[in-house]
Amino acid sequence: MQNEVIEYLKKHREKHLSELKDFLSIQSISALSSHNEDVKKAAEWVKKELGNIGFAHAEIMSTDGHPVVYGEYISDVNAPTVLVYGHYDVQPVDPVELWDSEPFDATIRDDKIYARGATDDKGQVFMHLKVMEAILKTSDKAPVNFKVLIEGEEEVGSPNLPKFAQEKKDLLEADLIVVSDSALVERGKPTITYGLRGLAGIQIDVTGAKSDLHSGEYGGGVVNPIHALVKIVDSFRDEKNRIQVEGFYDRVPELSQEERDALASVPFDEEKLKNELNVPELDGEEGYSYVERTSVRPTLEVNGIYGGFQGEGIKTVLPNKATAKVTCRLVPDQDPDEIVELLANHVEKHTPNGVHVDIKPFDKGKPYVTPFDHPVIKMAAEAYEKVYQAETAYIRGGGSIPIVAELDEILNVPVVLMGFGLPDENLHAPNEHLNLENFDKGMETLAHYYYMLNDYKG
């Protein structure tokens, strides 16, 4: 049956690309309230599409924020049930002047489709929808039961989906969850992401005098909040890039040799990366490889720092306030709430006299990992290899999809992260795109995978 499905996908490729362009044209930016109606429009598009492809049940369901779209197609109560998770919301497009084409007017050039959401995550969600369509249009009976959960708040941290999933736990019951919101390590290299880092962040506001002060009259006699903030930020890491927050590493387990060997086999060209990034050297925690540093080790990064006069020229003032935004990528078994508390304690301990400090927590997500020898992981690798004709790499992703850990905890089933993007496709940046080679091969892979799962007994 897979062959009929794949032939259907090939025959309808141009039609599907046209439909994908329609989906990508919707400006579903969840972070901007001015686009709330566009977010609803994208939800309506997904619901309608589920009906078009043959789902008997598809509905938009409310949350405390943007809605989710849920659909199901139950072919055989004795067959395995796959819950496909994805998101229809996208990042803002700024700076728009750096795009080579309009962000929401999908353009194909050099066998790539360019648009916001092309790879993260509308394009990859769309691939699942079209494979399901192909299966339902070419067979009287699907190899698995399908449940689909597509949300509209992933790009703002999925704040309302855990509550929704907990309340709808029985509705979402499945044998496994499949997520395509990740990338291959390089072109032509199948990749299973068997873990994701979590996230914890704080904003540090350092306040000095009640207003900006003349640096000639007060400089040298009053603490400058920028200087105080720099001291705080500098205290976070030592010269070996080891994080100095007390208790930060307490829950971080040592890597097994098997895992280090698997990560060592991941293709990596340091010189190529340095050239691509235009940096003279790479950096990171001493004692670990670049792949380990960016996937299985926790991090602490300053994402933004500002204060004082920002305009052209110079203004000789002591600013009354300086701010830094700090985020940590976390690994099992670090707890985001605990890490925020440790960060706050560290900041308070290292705040110089003469200023006030205020700490605001934000962006929390739990880390996630599943054994990469689980049967559904091995089946995914087999499906990849059947199409890509290359050995699968097993990695832990450096980024975070907070809801993955939540769904794993709530539904207690394996999560398979099989993405079809590439690392250089500019997700979250101007000129985001999806390589159509992976659009085609990805759908073939999913078709094989769904049929392989017919034999899975959870």
Side-chain angles (χ1 to χ4, degrees):
M1 294 302 297
Q2 295 97 311
N3 291 337
E4 288 89 342
V5 170
I6 292 168
E7 283 304 312
Y8 179 95
L9 292 168
K10 290 178 179 178
K11 179 180 178 181
H12 293 84
R13 185 177 190 266
E14 293 307 312
K15 177 177 180 288
H16 291 165
L17 286 174
S18 177
E19 293 169 349
L20 175 57
K21 288 181 178 181
D22 290 340
F23 190 24
L24 293 171
S25 72
I26 304 172
Q27 301 182 30
S28 49
I29 304 171
S30 55
L32 302 179
S33 59
S34 59
H35 286 278
N36 284 354
E37 290 303 313
D38 293 312
V39 173
K40 293 178 183 177
K41 184 179 178 181
E44 291 282 0
W45 191 98
V46 175
K47 176 194 171 186
K48 182 178 179 181
E49 183 64 19
L50 288 172
N52 291 340
I53 67 178
F55 273 52
H57 181 158
E59 63 178 307
I60 294 174
M61 306 181 76
S62 62
T63 72
D64 292 337
H66 295 308
V68 302
V69 184
Y70 173 78
E72 64 180 32
Y73 181 92
I74 306 301
S75 176
D76 180 352
V77 293
N78 295 314
T81 298
V82 179
L83 174 63
V84 176
Y85 162 83
H87 62 94
Y88 62 79
D89 66 318
V90 300
Q91 283 278 326
V93 298
D94 306 283
V96 69
E97 66 273 9
L98 297 183
W99 286 78
D100 295 331
S101 53
E102 290 297 320
F104 293 104
D105 184 7
T107 303
I108 295 176
R109 56 183 185 272
D110 301 324
D111 204 34
K112 302 169 185 176
I113 185 164
Y114 286 81
R116 174 58 87 226
T119 190
D120 182 24
D121 180 38
K122 285 181 177 177
Q124 299 200 58
V125 165
F126 183 85
M127 290 161 63
H128 280 277
L129 297 178
K130 292 297 105 175
V131 173
M132 293 175 195
E133 174 188 304
I135 290 172
L136 299 184
K137 299 297 184 184
T138 59
S139 175
D140 294 332
K141 182 179 179 182
V144 294
N145 301 311
F146 292 115
K147 293 184 177 181
V148 173
L149 178 67
I150 313 297
E151 69 155 317
E153 294 187 317
E154 194 276 343
E155 297 294 5
V156 291
S158 303
N160 296 296
L161 196 58
K163 177 184 175 184
F164 174 88
Q166 188 66 58
E167 292 174 349
K168 305 294 183 182
K169 181 178 178 180
D170 292 341
L171 181 70
L172 301 177
E173 184 179 359
D175 294 290
L176 72 154
I177 303 168
V178 178
V179 181
S180 294
D181 193 12
S182 55
L184 312 181
V185 291
E186 65 180 16
R187 182 175 179 178
K189 183 67 172 177
T191 304
I192 296 287
T193 303
Y194 67 93
L196 295 165
R197 292 194 286 194
L199 187 65
I202 60 171
Q203 178 173 309
I204 307 166
D205 293 312
V206 178
T207 307
K210 63 181 180 180
S211 66
D212 289 356
L213 301 175
H214 190 290
S215 66
E217 295 184 16
Y218 296 95
V222 177
V223 178
N224 184 326
I226 294 179
H227 293 181
L229 181 61
V230 168
K231 288 181 180 179
I232 294 170
V233 169
D234 188 54
S235 72
F236 281 129
R237 298 196 298 198
D238 66 14
E239 67 279 358
K240 296 182 179 180
N241 285 311
R242 187 167 176 85
I243 295 163
Q244 297 300 291
V245 176
E246 186 175 351
F248 187 84
Y249 293 105
D250 285 358
R251 296 181 183 272
V252 179
E254 287 298 319
L255 293 173
S256 68
Q257 191 58 49
E258 180 185 17
E259 191 163 32
R260 295 199 82 164
D261 290 344
L263 293 170
S265 69
V266 174
F268 176 67
D269 186 328
E270 182 172 333
E271 291 305 315
K272 179 182 177 183
L273 180 61
K274 287 194 293 187
N275 289 334
E276 287 177 352
L277 300 180
N278 193 27
V279 295
E281 292 294 338
L282 302 178
D283 196 20
E285 185 182 5
E286 188 174 283
Y288 296 91
S289 70
Y290 178 86
V291 173
E292 290 171 341
R293 293 169 184 164
T294 57
S295 63
V296 297
R297 292 297 294 169
T299 67
L300 186 155
E301 298 290 348
V302 179
N303 306 122
I305 187 166
Y306 52 92
F309 180 64
Q310 305 291 315
E312 184 178 356
I314 191 167
K315 184 179 181 183
T316 54
V317 296
L318 302 183
N320 79 309
K321 186 175 181 180
T323 296
K325 295 179 185 290
V326 176
T327 56
C328 299
R329 299 291 177 171
L330 310 180
V331 300
D333 298 303
Q334 290 179 302
D335 178 77
D337 292 321
E338 182 180 16
I339 294 299
V340 166
E341 184 177 349
L342 295 176
L343 292 173
N345 292 340
H346 180 91
V347 171
E348 290 172 0
K349 181 179 177 181
H350 289 82
T351 297
N353 293 328
V355 294
H356 306 283
V357 66
D358 183 51
I359 300 162
K360 299 184 182 73
F362 62 90
D363 284 358
K364 295 178 186 176
K366 295 178 181 178
Y368 166 78
V369 67
T370 194
F372 58 79
D373 59 354
H374 192 285
V376 294
I377 297 288
K378 290 300 185 183
M379 287 182 191
E382 184 181 346
Y384 265 127
E385 291 168 4
K386 190 175 185 69
V387 175
Y388 283 84
Q389 296 295 300
E391 187 177 355
T392 299
Y394 295 90
I395 67 167
R396 276 165 55 178
S400 305
I401 309 176
I403 193 58
V404 168
E406 297 284 355
L407 290 175
D408 171 60
E409 190 173 289
I410 293 168
L411 300 179
N412 193 30
V413 294
V415 183
V416 183
L417 292 125
M418 49 190 309
F420 301 98
L422 288 176
D424 62 355
E425 289 181 334
N426 291 7
L427 63 165
H428 293 205
N431 298 313
E432 178 181 351
H433 59 277
L434 175 69
N435 281 259
L436 295 182
E437 174 187 31
N438 288 325
F439 177 76
D440 296 326
K441 287 186 174 181
M443 288 193 290
E444 287 191 34
T445 301
L446 291 172
H448 286 296
Y449 186 49
Y450 287 148
Y451 278 93
M452 288 176 183
L453 287 171
N454 183 246
D455 296 325
Y456 173 64
K457 304 298 180 185

